Amino acid sequence: MFNKILVANRGEIALRVIRAAREMGIQSVAVHSTADSDAMHVRMADESVCIGPPSSAQSYLSIPSIIAACEITGAEAIHPGYGFLSENAGFVQVIEDHGLTFIGPTAEHIRIMGDKITAKETMRKLGVPCVPGSEGGVATLEEARRLGEEIGYPVIIKATAGGGGKGMKVAGTAAEMERAFQTARAEGKSNFGNDEVYIEKYLTTPRHIEIQVFGDGKGRAVHLGERDCSLQRRHQKVFEEAPGPAISAEERARIGKTCADAMADINYIGAGTIEFLYENGEFYFIEMNTRLQVEHPVTEGIFGVDLVREQIRVASGLPMSFQQEDLKINGHAIEVRINAEKLPNFRPCPGRITQYHAPGGLGVRMDSALYDGYSIPPYYDSLIGKLIVHGRDRPEALARLGRALGELIVDGVDTTVPLFHALLGEEDIQTGNYNIHWLEHWLETNLGDG
Ligand code: MV4
């Protein structure tokens, strides 16, 4: 096992990794920008290194600075958290070239899943059900038109390098194909330097269901069920739960085994998430994320396992501490993302926290790097906390969420907390009756957002 690891991230996820390391008797090194000298992750780590000015490009994304911080402190491994360098195959390569260990998947797996055409082709060959569509890339408008007729409208054109909804255009009819095809290509080129696109049947009212997988890199892999992350605004998740309210135990076991077997086949190592659209009882693969996700705590809640601890274990060469038979779901968990944003337009709202009080009690987990008097810098993501509740069943978790939100105090900045109070009053939220379009529709109707 490692003696010391470096955490190449900030905020709540940096604390999450430092906490796992401490429980394992591993020393932690924080890195930070000059804007984060007073940040909680710097205070909580055993050591810290300033790696650059405020801009992410010159600090949390600066590979040479992070490698230098490892060399200065003697850290043997790097945990990337989520975002920043977590899915950067070149970073993994540099880490290995310096004799260090990346706590995450191989550069090759990151590369395969980072290109969506390659990811889909790989998953299809592994027996994972995919959205009907083109086999590989579509190079010409003529081919796109032919496929539109073959698949049947509506179709969606996606940039292979796309992300966050960029480089994705729906063509509802043949008449809309030219514009959708050219726009998706142009967005792929300008945002990701890659104009390759592919085409899929457009599913009109699916849920976003993602399967948590975990591998040891040696041909063993398990699944930890699904999360329903359908409640999103502009491709940002705001509310996530596990298990999914629409997924049966039989469906879970079946798609879960398909995913676990696929990961075993490719010797996947560490945590991964296989994203599906779910409609009319069918799962359709769309993408795989080769990292620990923001919403991993809901899975930890219902399975009672520490995913970061497992990541560190397998990265050091140890086996996973559980097998599939050991993984049993207990109750229900819900996460809400608390952002420093002003409603109704979700405008980022950095500033000084004059008072912070975290909720507590049975079944309540608050992952946050806030403290009284902390100033949220304007340079980074507006996520300031995640409130995760666990109950014996979904109604109990919902009631607990309402109770915990009532205890939470974040003064000095606007937050998304009022949104969650309002959502808890909605019958569709109470019954789990929602899909990927529900929240945007609700926001438009109730806040005039959009
Ligand atoms: C789709 C889709 C419908 N049909 N693919 C959005 C971002 C990217 N991760 C995939 N996305 C979608 N792909 C097909 N074939 C609808 C979406 C989509 C979406 C997916 C998940 C959660 C929220 C969403 C909001 C709008 C569109």
Side-chain angles (χ1 to χ4, degrees):
M1 183 46 67
F2 311 118
N3 289 304
K4 192 188 278 190
I5 67 174
L6 182 142
V7 185
N9 216 301
R10 63 185 300 285
E12 66 85 18
I13 195 61
L15 304 192
R16 173 71 189 83
V17 177
I18 293 165
R19 285 173 169 144
R22 191 150 294 152
E23 288 181 15
M24 297 172 82
I26 300 169
Q27 297 283 303
S28 56
V29 178
V31 292
H32 67 92
S33 70
T34 53
D36 274 344
S37 298
D38 296 327
M40 191 59 137
H41 75 284
V42 174
R43 298 182 179 194
M44 196 183 278
D46 294 298
E47 290 172 69
S48 66
V49 180
C50 181
I51 53 167
S55 91
S56 297
Q58 295 175 85
S59 52
Y60 299 104
L61 293 172
S62 171
I63 296 174
S65 307
I66 292 165
I67 298 292
C70 276
E71 290 182 340
I72 290 164
T73 57
E76 307 146 67
I78 300 178
H79 194 300
Y82 51 69
F84 293 126
L85 295 167
S86 60
E87 292 176 284
N88 184 314
F91 181 47
V92 177
Q93 200 60 65
V94 173
I95 288 170
E96 288 172 0
D97 290 347
H98 284 77
L100 303 166
T101 301
F102 180 69
I103 302 172
T106 62
E108 178 68 2
H109 286 148
I110 292 174
R111 248 182 232 114
I112 289 169
M113 299 306 171
D115 181 278
K116 291 175 188 170
I117 291 174
T118 311
K120 199 173 167 185
E121 177 67 2
T122 304
M123 293 301 241
R124 193 186 57 76
K125 285 184 180 156
L126 289 165
V128 177
C130 296
V131 189
S134 59
E135 275 176 42
V138 179
T140 66
L141 178 58
E142 291 64 48
E143 196 185 344
R145 287 210 163 100
R146 190 180 56 71
L147 279 159
E149 298 305 324
E150 189 180 306
I151 299 162
Y153 289 93
V155 298
I156 185 166
I157 299 102
K158 295 180 174 182
T160 191
K166 283 186 181 145
M168 208 179 75
K169 289 286 167 256
V170 177
T173 63
E176 290 170 18
M177 180 56 100
E178 178 166 9
R179 196 184 145 83
F181 181 74
Q182 304 299 5
T183 309
R185 280 179 73 113
E187 286 187 11
K189 184 94 200 159
S190 66
N191 289 294
F192 313 104
N194 182 346
D195 69 358
E196 199 177 6
V197 299
Y198 61 109
I199 299 186
E200 289 181 344
K201 178 78 185 168
Y202 178 69
L203 304 180
T204 55
T205 53
R207 287 175 182 259
H208 172 118
I209 302 289
E210 54 183 39
I211 306 290
Q212 176 72 56
V213 291
F214 204 98
D216 71 354
K218 300 168 185 171
R220 280 181 202 272
V222 299
H223 74 87
L224 294 95
E226 78 286 357
R227 297 182 285 261
D228 190 325
C229 306
S230 298
L231 294 173
Q232 307 198 4
R233 176 186 180 269
R234 299 192 181 174
H235 305 292
Q236 295 290 322
K237 295 168 186 162
V238 307
F239 175 113
E240 304 106 339
E241 61 180 314
I247 309 301
S248 70
E250 293 71 32
E251 289 175 296
R252 174 176 310 115
R254 191 170 138 87
I255 194 70
K257 182 172 193 311
T258 300
C259 290
D261 289 350
M263 294 302 103
D265 265 13
I266 63 171
N267 291 326
Y268 188 78
I269 184 163
T273 297
I274 306 182
E275 292 188 352
F276 293 90
L277 297 177
Y278 175 82
E279 193 174 71
N280 299 326
E282 301 285 342
F283 289 89
Y284 303 93
F285 169 78
I286 47 171
E287 295 168 24
M288 177 166 180
N289 301 317
T290 53
R291 63 168 188 276
L292 184 74
Q293 299 216 176
V294 175
E295 61 272 23
H296 76 276
V298 294
T299 299
E300 294 186 325
I302 61 168
F303 284 98
V305 304
D306 180 337
L307 289 171
V308 177
R309 178 188 178 94
E310 295 302 320
Q311 286 186 296
I312 297 170
R313 281 180 64 92
V314 299
S316 79
L318 290 174
M320 294 183 278
S321 73
F322 44 71
Q323 297 185 312
Q324 192 68 58
E325 314 82 86
D326 306 323
L327 296 168
K328 295 279 178 278
I329 294 180
N330 171 26
H332 198 94
I334 302 173
E335 170 178 287
V336 295
R337 296 195 189 188
I338 297 164
N339 289 357
E341 291 173 351
K342 192 171 168 57
L343 301 173
N345 302 321
F346 294 81
R347 182 115 67 129
C349 188
R352 186 169 174 274
I353 302 294
T354 54
Q355 196 185 164
Y356 173 64
H357 176 79
L362 180 63
V364 175
R365 167 176 175 182
M366 183 79 193
D367 277 17
S368 173
L370 292 186
Y371 58 84
D372 279 323
Y374 174 64
S375 280
I376 301 163
Y379 310 104
Y380 314 107
D381 193 272
S382 59
L383 182 85
I384 55 170
K386 308 187 304 204
L387 172 57
I388 306 101
V389 293
H390 182 259
R392 288 172 300 174
D393 54 21
R394 191 167 184 276
E396 188 169 276
L398 284 165
R400 191 157 280 156
L401 177 58
R403 188 271 290 172
L405 282 167
E407 286 180 23
L408 173 63
I409 300 172
V410 181
D411 285 346
V413 300
D414 282 294
T415 74
T416 49
V417 167
L419 168 67
F420 301 119
H421 282 294
L423 288 178
L424 283 176
E426 288 293 330
E427 185 177 335
D428 284 345
I429 299 299
Q430 291 285 337
T431 60
N433 177 35
Y434 56 78
N435 61 42
I436 62 168
H437 303 298
W438 190 96
L439 182 61
E440 305 244 15
H441 178 257
W442 185 90
L443 289 169
E444 217 168 292
T445 308
N446 293 273
L447 304 181
D449 176 52

